[in-house]
Amino acid sequence: MGDNPGFLSTYLPGVDELLGDGIPLGSSVLIEGGPGSGKTIFCISLAKTLCERGKKVLYMSFEEPEVRLRSHFRSFGARIEEYERNGLFYVKRFNALDIARSVEALLSEAKRELLVDVQPVLIPPDFDPEIVLIDSLSSISSAFSGEESRFRVYMEQLFRYLESHKMTSFLIREVANPTHVGNMFVEPGEAVSFLSDGIIVLYNVFFQDNPRKRAIEVLKMRGSQIDRKIVECEIRKGIGIVAYPNKILKGPYTLT
Ligand SMILES: Nc1ncnc2c1ncn2[C@@H]1O[C@H](COP(=O)(O)OP(=O)(O)OP(=O)(O)O)[C@@H](O)[C@H]1O
Ligand SMILES: [Mg+2]
């Protein structure tokens, strides 16, 4: 399957079937889930499938050191040196504290003017990506410790920047509990749910007498008719995330 005009496909096995038409170009999509639910691997395997199809991808990590990330990429079959040679891939580790400090400085300079230009802080000036992956908003949020309103300002600016530059973005957000299955508005930074155009959730599934499973759901995608169901998925060696659209999760189970 190729891309529908105006939409992006993930080319991750099974995932595009859940996405209907695909992801409208220029969307900001949250990749949510608990610890170890597969968020980073989702983004790594996505970067790979997209670079393989000639898309220009920026991977910004606030978590893992660059060396470890690179070997992680390779373990999922990504030929990153080749993508880099072809100008398709840029991976960089950022320090969230640097960003928090810059925002702080910009905000005090701008006084009550909240229009802060995030570009100098974030996007490498010599690379103009079509796709941006950020791992993770949660790391950025914790660098703004106790300054929830500054984090919000920064997020609004970031989403606006990505939108105005027509970049399609995937932003990882760690959640302690799946916030969309009962617990409302308990997470700091919940505002990003409303700023985003789409939400894909990865679940750790707990069964009383069974081993855990993994599951995936496309919860929201503005501008695309999605197939809303929670289905099984796996992390496959050399591939990454593989979803099974026909394996709807059967209870009793708990999503974590
Ligand atoms: N090469 C691999 N093949 C198969 N499974 C793997 C591989 N590497 C990691 N895993 C499994 O995938 C799980 C999810 O990894 P991932 O780093 O994507 O989670 P995450 O949601 O980003 O977690 P965190 O919130 O801690 O960053 C790991 O806990 C591990 O069990
Ligand atoms: Mg991760």
Side-chain angles (χ1 to χ4, degrees):
M1 194 186 92
D3 288 338
N4 287 324
F7 292 86
L8 179 78
S9 301
T10 65
Y11 304 98
L12 297 173
V15 175
D16 289 326
E17 288 179 49
L18 301 173
L19 281 165
D21 301 321
I23 297 165
L25 291 177
S27 300
S28 296
V29 181
L30 295 178
I31 307 299
E32 294 193 345
S37 57
K39 305 179 293 298
T40 298
I41 292 174
F42 183 96
C43 288
I44 284 178
S45 44
L46 181 61
K48 175 196 154 189
T49 59
L50 295 177
C51 284
E52 294 280 344
R53 283 160 184 84
K55 312 264 188 231
K56 224 171 154 178
V57 176
L58 169 67
Y59 196 100
M60 300 167 46
S61 176
F62 294 86
E63 310 217 324
E64 298 178 68
E66 225 158 286
V67 176
R68 181 137 39 96
L69 257 178
R70 286 180 166 274
S71 76
H72 216 157
F73 267 100
R74 285 189 207 101
S75 77
F76 287 103
R79 299 174 295 170
I80 47 181
E81 285 77 14
E82 187 183 316
Y83 311 151
E84 283 171 331
R85 261 199 313 279
N86 295 333
L88 293 175
F89 185 64
Y90 196 124
V91 58
K92 194 164 167 55
R93 189 201 188 169
F94 292 81
N95 183 342
L97 279 173
D98 289 345
I99 290 194
R101 278 192 214 108
S102 310
V103 170
E104 184 82 18
L106 283 166
L107 280 176
S108 48
E109 227 171 77
K111 298 277 182 324
R112 290 163 62 212
E113 183 65 69
L114 292 184
L115 292 170
V116 182
D117 185 0
V118 297
Q119 181 177 18
V121 189
L122 218 46
I123 310 279
D126 49 348
F127 192 74
D128 184 24
E130 297 166 78
I131 320 288
V132 179
L133 300 127
I134 301 183
D135 190 357
S136 66
L137 295 186
S138 319
S139 315
I140 303 178
S141 166
S142 48
F144 282 87
S145 53
E147 296 281 359
E148 177 72 9
S149 63
R150 302 227 148 154
F151 174 66
R152 268 172 198 245
V153 168
Y154 182 65
M155 282 299 114
E156 278 165 23
Q157 293 296 315
L158 177 63
F159 279 88
R160 198 177 303 166
Y161 177 87
L162 294 166
E163 188 189 348
S164 67
H165 287 73
K166 301 198 165 37
M167 293 167 182
T168 307
S169 56
F170 297 85
L171 310 112
I172 290 181
R173 189 164 85 109
E174 269 169 54
V175 290
N177 297 298
T179 45
H180 308 286
V181 287
N183 303 321
M184 290 288 282
F185 307 111
V186 291
E187 294 286 327
E190 181 68 29
V192 296
S193 298
F194 303 104
L195 289 170
S196 69
D197 300 302
I199 302 179
I200 296 175
V201 193
L202 293 159
Y203 297 106
N204 285 306
V205 189
F206 175 72
F207 295 91
Q208 204 73 47
D209 349 286
N210 279 305
R212 284 177 183 273
K213 284 187 177 173
R214 300 183 185 282
I216 185 169
E217 175 183 25
V218 178
L219 188 79
K220 146 178 163 177
M221 195 60 65
R222 289 177 185 151
S224 180
Q225 192 164 5
I226 51 175
D227 201 356
R228 276 171 36 118
K229 54 190 183 190
I230 302 178
V231 303
E232 289 183 28
C233 71
E234 274 179 354
I235 294 169
R236 296 258 298 269
K237 237 188 162 48
I239 303 177
I241 296 284
V242 177
Y244 300 98
N246 297 323
K247 290 193 184 172
I248 293 179
L249 217 55
K250 299 251 164 45
Y253 58 77
T254 312
L255 298 173
T256 60

